[in-house]
Amino acid sequence: RAGPGSAAMSSGGTLSILRSDSYAELSQYRDQHFRGTRYDQERLLRKSCTLYVGNLSFYTTEEQIHELFGKSGDIKKVIMGLDKIKKTACGFCFVEYYARGDAENAMRYINGTRLDDRIIRTDWDAGFKEGRQYGRGRSGGQVRDEYRQDYDAGRGGYGKTVQCQ
Amino acid sequence: MSRRRHSDDSDAGQPHKRRRTSEPSEIEERLESLICRVGEKSNSSLESNLEGLAGVLEADLPNYKSKILRILCTVARLLPEKLTVYTTLVGLLNARNYNFGGEFVEAMIRQLKECLKVNMYNEAVHLVRFLSDLVNCHVIAAPSMVAMFENFVSVTQEEDVPQVRCDWYMFAFLSSLPWVGKELYEKKDAEMDRLLSQAESYLKRRQKIHVPMLQVWTADKPHPQEEYLDCLWCQIQKLKKDRWQERHILRPYLAFDSVLCEALQHNLPPFTPPPHTEDSVYPMPRVIFRMFDYTDDPEGPVMPGSHSVERFVIEENLHCIIKSHWKERKTCAAQLLSYPGNNKIPLNYHIVEVIFAELFQLPSPPHIEVMYTTLLIELCKLQPGSLPQVLAQATEMLYMRLDTMNTTCVDRFINWFSHHLSNFQFRWSWEDWSDCLTQDLEKPKPKFVREVLEKCMRLSYHQRIIDIVPASFSVLSPANPVCIYKYGDESNRSLPGYTVALCLTIAIKNKASNDEIFSILKDVPNPNQDDDDGEGFTFNPLKIEVFVQTLLHLAAKSFSHSFSALAKFHEVFKTLAESDEGKLHVLRVVYEVWKNHPQMIAVLVDKMIRTQIVDCAAVANWIFSSELAHDFTRFYVWEILHSTIRKMNKHVLKIHKELEETKARLARQHKRRDSDDDDDDDDRSTDREDGPLEEQIERLQEKVESAQSEQKNLFLVIFQRFIMLLTEHLVRCETGGIDVFTPWYKSCIERLQQIFLQHHQIIQQYMVTLENLLFTAELDHHILAVFQQFCALQA
């Protein structure tokens, strides 16, 4: 039996201004370490249920992430990003949902809001693979923390390059 | 084909070739864009934009008429907040091209019929309103509109149809009158009077048993929570008394009166409402949410009264804006704030009221709850000098009225407020709420504050919460979420199982296998020695206790650690929890270990269901068990129960989908075979092809039936336990001569209502069983009333 919202109406359809869903679109970022073609990567991004979450405080816990991201749907897994050397949290994570729709809602409503008083950023991820939980900066953390000039108490203070001066 | 290096070349592997977009679709996009954007902020006036657009479209009619018709019909259906802009446009087109006007009206009627056929009733209302406003634009003759409304109202005379069907036709009629009441009354006052008197008698005789179930507050003060048709009727009566003078709606067509009144009008063809069928699903009734009136903003413009038609129009339009732009939070906020009439109405108050109306709507909000939190944050960003204050005022008002607020709505208030605070450093004037400190902790206000603080802690950490509240609030602060390991202290060495626990701890730390664990556990004595179930494996609560306590304690560090532990020792869990009693006991032990950390309990229960260590019925029984009685009214318990029910529902849907897909595959296979060469008469090979698929379908069919049976059983268990619990309370109160309405009772009965409301579609399937087995006439009338209210929702 047809329920409310049946999309296929022969006399109408919808309007492109109502289809607009900019928060759920792919960003410009593409993981340079991805193994495969650009096309493969984008195909995976478009059906992914996994989000990359950035700008976390080093002290933000899996539990906090679970609570916040649980607001858009049931979470399958949270994988904390780790410093490659120290194996401690280094300010990013992956959140995988069971359903893509739930990940889309996270992009629409959780991206750009605060966790631990920090504006966090979410982006589509092609899917977790072993090794991707580690920072890619020379010092073991994320690249952005290598060269950063400002002082960020939640992310180890000054950037690594500045610290070494 | 040239070889391309992969990750360097951004075009590598692109499957689509870039080709010139074909002209017609470009033009269609341009037309759609032009039409959709008329009425937005512009350097020119709305009138000159409409005039210009009408000219462009008129010129395009010879080549693109059907596209223009389609676009206009679609905006009529999907952009109701811009109703009068588009009716004016159609009016101008009709004045320039009479035939086009006629074709448009016909297309609209076709679209209306189609909407009704596929149960798109909300969109159908927009179409009816559009048609009625076309009377104001001289496109449709008033008498023919009245005739359509006469057919609508006569639906209320139909026999043996659901009340919700008659409700819809009445709503479609009455809710169009703010736009067209004046014109229709001027042309056909006798007929309109007759229609209104028929409306009045229908509204008097229709039943309203469902209303209490849908009200956000049970109290009538300060604002009654009116049934939606009752409220609309009062609004229309007041409009009539004001001689149909309506000053809020923007009517661009007034500026074009001289042009439009020269136009020839069309008659609506006679419209017979499609008959009621078994597949018809009408909208559920609603209760109008009100939290503000003119006294709440004494400095600003006066808020239209609850029975003014302006209030109705404003609320309708704001709801429509949210419906159009819910995916785009910045656009949504901007559109809400640019609603016309900003200096004549307290727009911020209307916006906040409409958003809370949706958030608190029963049975469910139209959109996902988190959307409203983020939308309110966007609105605060755009109006930092005014909106936060209105929001704070609203929060204060909601807090003041917690005593009579529906439990489900309190849940949503808790979730919203804690999440909102986490975006603003948890800044709040908690001392203003010190009155709750002197109340019994089970009362709604202190309970609310406790739950909010617990949720705030989940989004931050324990010490943060201690820091943000005054010291006096420590009685309401959440417990430090640490695990309780009963075998931890040396002083506990006299406990049975203590030594085994030690043994287990060492073994697990040394990466023992499941088999090794089993052999260690063999030494645990069984306190239920006599309850051998004869199947060879007895339920041994002590074994379960020792194993689960120890493992959870070792894995306490994080969710991931605990999930790994569940996965690694899955076999042990499955064996220990094989019986129903085993499952129940596992849940009990999880609670004993983690009762300070409800969030951990919730995620563990979720994982155990998903890995089939426990089943949904076990969780339901555990929630109603005496061990959990102390936490029975805590929010987290109901989050767990509803999450459990949702998992069950999703599971049934998933297998059903698999079954349908496999059936479709078989059908495609048959089709392929039938269309293949006709002289293939080897029947046995075709049977062999079908075999695996047919077997699969049979297996899936069994799986579906078994899942549906489990689902039904889950609901029956839940209802049964509710009835037992509530009956016990009612009997105790009666014999003891004490008042039934304790805070616990209110919470419990509303939790029962919540089950019905949140899962109403599934529960509808069980009506006969529920009526005959559980909700029989012998039941206490307090409990039976909940069931009867539920039945009334789709009656």
Side-chain angles (χ1 to χ4, degrees):
Chain A
R1 45 149 89 173
S6 295
M9 278 199 53
S10 59
S11 65
T14 183
L15 302 166
S16 56
I17 58 164
L18 296 180
R19 273 194 296 264
S20 177
D21 197 3
S22 62
Y23 286 89
E25 283 167 6
L26 302 190
S27 71
Q28 303 288 16
Y29 174 85
R30 295 288 179 270
D31 180 7
Q32 294 301 313
H33 292 212
F34 177 79
R35 288 211 156 132
T37 64
R38 236 341 118 77
Y39 172 67
D40 289 335
Q41 193 177 32
E42 286 181 19
R43 193 174 45 86
L44 286 172
L45 289 172
R46 281 184 214 287
K47 62 180 183 95
S48 171
C49 295
T50 305
L51 298 179
Y52 161 88
V53 184
N55 199 36
L56 296 174
S57 155
F58 287 9
Y59 306 103
T60 300
T61 62
E62 185 188 346
E63 287 72 15
Q64 285 169 275
I65 292 161
H66 208 280
E67 178 69 16
L68 181 61
F69 283 85
K71 290 180 185 295
S72 71
D74 291 340
I75 294 172
K76 188 168 176 185
K77 200 163 189 186
V78 171
I79 298 167
M80 299 298 288
L82 303 174
D83 181 298
K84 196 168 190 142
I85 300 164
K86 298 190 221 148
K87 302 293 199 288
T88 54
C90 68
F92 74 99
C93 75
F94 297 101
V95 176
E96 187 188 350
Y97 289 92
Y98 290 100
R100 177 165 172 103
D102 295 344
E104 285 171 355
N105 277 333
M107 290 288 287
R108 291 181 190 124
Y109 308 120
I110 300 176
N111 185 16
T113 67
R114 290 183 191 266
L115 178 57
D116 259 341
D117 301 318
R118 306 171 65 91
I119 303 263
I120 58 170
R121 195 181 61 82
T122 66
D123 199 359
W124 291 107
D125 188 80
F128 176 75
K129 288 230 155 33
E130 180 54 38
R132 297 193 63 233
Q133 71 269 45
Y134 297 113
R136 295 173 181 165
R138 201 120 53 91
S139 315
Q142 289 197 281
V143 171
R144 61 203 294 260
D145 292 311
E146 286 293 313
Y147 305 109
R148 164 165 78 67
Q149 300 287 315
D150 60 319
Y151 182 84
D152 188 341
R155 289 182 76 95
Y158 287 106
K160 288 294 184 299
T161 332
V162 171
Q163 281 181 25
C164 295
Q165 280 166 7
Chain B
M1 183 155 76
S2 63
R3 288 178 152 252
R4 291 177 239 164
R5 279 177 296 161
H6 58 95
S7 51
D8 293 354
D9 184 348
S10 62
D11 271 342
Q14 290 278 44
H16 66 263
K17 295 167 247 165
R18 253 189 230 115
R19 68 179 123 79
R20 273 169 39 94
T21 39
S22 47
E23 270 199 28
S25 78
E26 235 176 43
I27 296 204
E28 179 162 358
E29 271 173 40
R30 189 180 65 91
L31 284 173
E32 189 180 296
S33 174
L34 278 175
I35 293 171
C36 287
R37 293 195 194 294
V38 78
E40 317 253 303
K41 278 201 174 77
S42 159
N43 290 329
S44 334
S45 70
L46 175 61
E47 285 78 26
S48 75
N49 284 335
L50 279 171
E51 181 97 62
L53 181 57
V56 167
L57 294 178
E58 189 194 2
D60 280 331
L61 278 181
N63 294 322
Y64 299 102
K65 183 177 65 174
S66 60
K67 295 196 202 305
I68 293 173
L69 274 176
R70 184 193 68 76
I71 295 168
L72 289 174
C73 281
T74 310
V75 302
R77 186 166 52 91
L78 298 180
L79 295 179
E81 61 270 27
K82 292 171 78 177
L83 173 68
T84 52
V85 169
Y86 292 118
T87 51
T88 307
L89 180 63
V90 172
L92 292 173
L93 287 171
N94 180 57
R96 294 163 188 241
N97 188 322
Y98 176 77
N99 285 334
F100 177 77
E103 286 187 66
F104 177 76
V105 172
E106 276 169 27
M108 284 287 283
I109 294 291
R110 271 197 307 272
Q111 193 181 210
L112 175 60
K113 286 194 175 134
E114 224 172 290
C115 277
L116 295 176
K117 217 167 43 166
V118 296
N119 293 319
M120 288 169 83
Y121 286 97
N122 295 325
E123 302 193 350
V125 167
H126 302 151
L127 295 175
V128 173
R129 242 175 249 167
F130 197 94
L131 288 171
S132 62
D133 202 44
L134 286 178
V135 171
N136 294 324
C137 300
H138 300 262
V139 178
I140 291 178
S144 70
M145 194 73 222
V146 174
M148 182 188 231
F149 284 143
E150 280 169 346
N151 284 345
F152 276 28
V153 171
S154 66
V155 169
T156 60
Q157 305 293 330
E158 286 177 6
E159 292 187 352
D160 294 325
V161 293
Q163 181 176 285
V164 283
R165 170 182 165 83
C166 307
D167 283 353
W168 184 82
Y169 283 96
M170 183 54 61
F171 180 71
F173 162 56
L174 290 176
S175 71
S176 304
L177 293 183
W179 282 267
V180 75
K182 181 156 183 279
E183 188 66 23
L184 293 185
Y185 209 79
E186 267 169 26
K187 298 273 157 56
K188 289 272 175 185
D189 62 340
E191 286 79 354
M192 287 296 289
D193 273 333
R194 201 163 38 235
L195 283 178
L196 290 173
S197 114
Q198 282 177 297
E200 183 164 22
S201 80
Y202 171 69
L203 292 170
K204 278 210 176 83
R205 70 171 190 268
R206 66 191 277 272
Q207 59 86 350
K208 290 187 289 205
I209 307 174
H210 54 273
V211 172
M213 208 176 206
L214 302 175
Q215 286 175 318
V216 172
W217 290 288
T218 54
D220 264 347
K221 292 193 170 15
H223 309 111
Q225 303 295 291
E226 289 179 287
E227 212 266 354
Y228 79 114
L229 279 182
D230 286 345
C231 185
L232 180 56
W233 176 244
C234 291
Q235 288 162 335
I236 300 301
Q237 279 191 301
K238 182 164 186 296
L239 178 63
K240 180 173 177 211
K241 234 190 266 171
D242 292 343
R243 291 175 311 129
W244 304 98
Q245 298 298 328
E246 189 291 317
R247 273 173 272 272
H248 175 79
I249 297 174
L250 238 54
R251 299 175 192 259
Y253 40 82
L254 293 175
F256 294 104
D257 198 47
S258 53
V259 168
L260 293 176
C261 67
E262 298 294 310
L264 290 173
Q265 299 169 312
H266 304 267
N267 281 316
L268 278 175
F271 184 88
T272 318
H276 173 68
T277 71
E278 238 179 42
D279 292 330
S280 305
V281 179
Y282 305 97
M284 274 177 71
R286 289 171 283 130
V287 166
I288 302 297
F289 175 85
R290 288 279 160 67
M291 65 183 292
F292 292 129
D293 60 38
Y294 70 95
T295 62
D296 293 305
D297 182 23
E299 313 287 315
V302 176
M303 190 173 219
S306 58
H307 286 164
S308 71
V309 107
E310 284 75 20
R311 194 73 176 263
F312 174 77
V313 172
I314 294 166
E315 287 167 357
E316 280 288 298
N317 283 332
L318 293 178
H319 281 299
C320 287
I321 290 172
I322 296 174
K323 182 150 185 248
S324 292
H325 302 289
W326 63 274
K327 295 194 295 288
E328 295 281 3
R329 66 208 213 202
K330 282 196 169 68
T331 306
C332 195
Q335 290 284 342
L336 285 170
L337 288 170
S338 54
Y339 181 73
N342 199 351
N343 49 356
K344 296 204 209 84
I345 55 172
L347 184 59
N348 284 342
Y349 284 85
H350 284 292
I351 291 173
V352 167
E353 189 177 67
V354 162
I355 288 176
F356 279 124
E358 292 203 6
L359 180 64
F360 295 135
Q361 185 176 298
L362 295 168
S364 321
H367 303 286
I368 189 173
E369 274 176 59
V370 68
M371 184 278 273
Y372 299 103
T373 311
T374 308
L375 178 61
L376 283 168
I377 293 174
E378 290 297 328
L379 286 163
C380 285
K381 279 194 217 164
L382 289 175
Q383 295 265 290
S386 55
L387 208 117
Q389 291 87 312
V390 177
L391 206 48
Q393 194 179 349
T395 306
E396 184 63 41
M397 290 172 75
L398 293 171
Y399 169 81
M400 297 293 287
R401 301 178 58 187
L402 277 170
D403 288 333
T404 55
M405 192 184 221
N406 182 298
T407 301
T408 305
C409 301
V410 177
D411 289 349
R412 297 190 201 153
F413 183 22
I414 292 166
N415 277 334
W416 167 72
F417 188 51
S418 54
H419 187 190
H420 180 85
L421 285 180
S422 76
N423 274 273
F424 295 97
Q425 299 118 40
F426 298 107
R427 272 184 277 118
W428 183 250
S429 46
W430 300 98
E431 313 74 30
D432 290 353
W433 289 354
S434 315
D435 62 319
C436 74
L437 296 172
T438 53
Q439 292 182 19
D440 173 347
L441 289 186
E442 277 303 304
K443 283 260 157 86
K445 283 185 182 153
K447 199 152 189 306
F448 166 77
V449 174
R450 275 178 72 195
E451 298 283 5
V452 164
L453 293 178
E454 191 178 308
K455 285 273 167 165
C456 286
M457 180 180 70
R458 292 198 197 186
L459 289 167
S460 60
Y461 49 96
H462 187 246
Q463 188 56 46
R464 185 86 193 274
I465 303 309
I466 305 297
D467 292 340
I468 60 159
V469 292
S472 51
F473 275 70
S474 59
V475 63
L476 299 177
S477 296
N480 198 1
V482 292
C483 108
I484 306 169
Y485 181 46
K486 77 190 286 186
Y487 305 109
D489 216 85
E490 262 265 320
S491 60
N492 294 327
R493 61 180 177 275
S494 56
L495 285 174
Y498 178 81
T499 29
V500 181
L502 274 185
C503 222
L504 261 182
T505 305
I506 298 168
I508 292 172
K509 280 188 177 164
N510 288 328
K511 315 235 191 268
S513 69
N514 280 282
D515 286 334
E516 289 168 62
I517 303 296
F518 276 123
S519 64
I520 295 174
L521 288 176
K522 251 205 316 226
D523 297 331
V524 176
N526 189 344
N528 296 350
Q529 211 73 281
D530 308 319
D531 298 347
D532 195 320
D533 64 2
E535 302 262 312
F537 185 78
T538 44
F539 159 56
N540 185 339
L542 191 56
K543 248 190 220 186
I544 293 175
E545 180 126 36
V546 172
F547 172 68
V548 177
Q549 281 258 353
T550 305
L551 187 66
L552 290 186
H553 169 245
L554 285 170
K557 184 155 187 235
S558 74
F559 288 176
S560 283
H561 287 83
S562 296
F563 296 157
S564 291
L566 285 181
K568 182 148 199 268
F569 296 103
H570 184 249
E571 210 191 313
V572 182
F573 269 106
K574 282 286 279 192
T575 311
L576 289 176
E578 203 171 319
S579 63
D580 285 345
E581 301 148 307
K583 292 181 170 64
L584 199 52
H585 203 69
V586 166
L587 290 166
R588 278 198 205 105
V589 178
V590 167
Y591 172 71
E592 287 303 318
V593 175
W594 281 118
K595 56 163 68 132
N596 288 327
H597 196 349
Q599 193 196 10
M600 174 66 96
I601 298 178
V603 303
L604 285 175
V605 171
D606 175 82
K607 216 35 130 199
M608 290 192 293
I609 292 176
R610 290 185 191 272
T611 55
Q612 298 174 319
I613 292 171
V614 301
D615 57 25
C616 296
V619 175
N621 278 315
W622 165 64
I623 284 175
F624 285 94
S625 69
S626 51
E627 287 84 4
L628 223 51
H630 178 261
D631 277 3
F632 189 72
T633 57
R634 281 183 63 186
F635 188 7
Y636 83 87
V637 169
W638 300 95
E639 283 186 318
I640 291 176
L641 183 60
H642 284 283
S643 166
T644 302
I645 298 173
R646 273 198 312 270
K647 277 191 277 285
M648 182 80 248
N649 295 343
K650 280 191 188 154
H651 175 67
V652 170
L653 285 176
K654 184 164 159 239
I655 306 185
H656 194 86
K657 187 164 165 231
E658 242 182 274
L659 174 65
E660 296 302 305
E661 280 171 358
T662 315
K663 279 185 177 166
R665 268 166 57 200
L666 185 65
R668 278 198 299 273
Q669 195 165 288
H670 281 164
K671 217 168 144 196
R672 264 200 306 273
R673 201 172 338 115
D674 290 344
S675 66
D676 274 345
D677 40 14
D678 300 295
D679 46 33
D680 177 17
D681 53 1
D682 187 349
D683 289 321
R684 273 187 300 159
S685 81
T686 56
D687 280 348
R688 233 182 299 132
E689 274 170 41
D690 275 354
L693 269 186
E694 276 174 2
E695 249 176 64
Q696 226 180 329
I697 289 176
E698 218 180 288
R699 260 185 294 119
L700 282 172
Q701 191 73 52
E702 274 170 33
K703 251 178 116 179
V704 165
E705 279 164 22
S706 143
Q708 283 173 335
S709 158
E710 197 188 334
Q711 184 184 42
K712 183 173 182 179
N713 184 55
L714 175 62
F715 281 106
L716 290 181
V717 164
I718 292 170
F719 285 133
Q720 228 157 15
R721 299 302 294 261
F722 262 117
I723 291 174
M724 277 163 55
L725 214 57
L726 286 165
T727 307
E728 225 179 85
H729 171 85
L730 290 165
V731 165
R732 212 181 318 123
C733 288
E734 219 168 301
T735 48
I738 35 175
D739 185 21
V740 161
F741 285 92
T742 59
W744 178 91
Y745 174 77
K746 175 180 184 288
S747 176
C748 189
I749 201 107
E750 285 177 358
R751 290 293 178 198
L752 173 59
Q753 272 176 351
Q754 189 184 30
I755 303 282
F756 277 112
L757 282 181
Q758 255 175 40
H759 308 284
H760 63 96
Q761 274 172 320
I762 314 272
I763 296 174
Q764 304 276 14
Q765 303 167 51
Y766 312 140
M767 295 307 276
V768 176
T769 310
L770 292 177
E771 212 165 346
N772 293 332
L773 210 60
L774 292 176
F775 294 94
T776 56
E778 291 93 58
L779 210 58
D780 186 298
H781 67 95
H782 290 99
I783 310 173
L784 200 52
V786 174
F787 180 66
Q788 288 164 342
Q789 284 163 17
F790 173 69
C791 295
L793 282 178
Q794 269 290 314

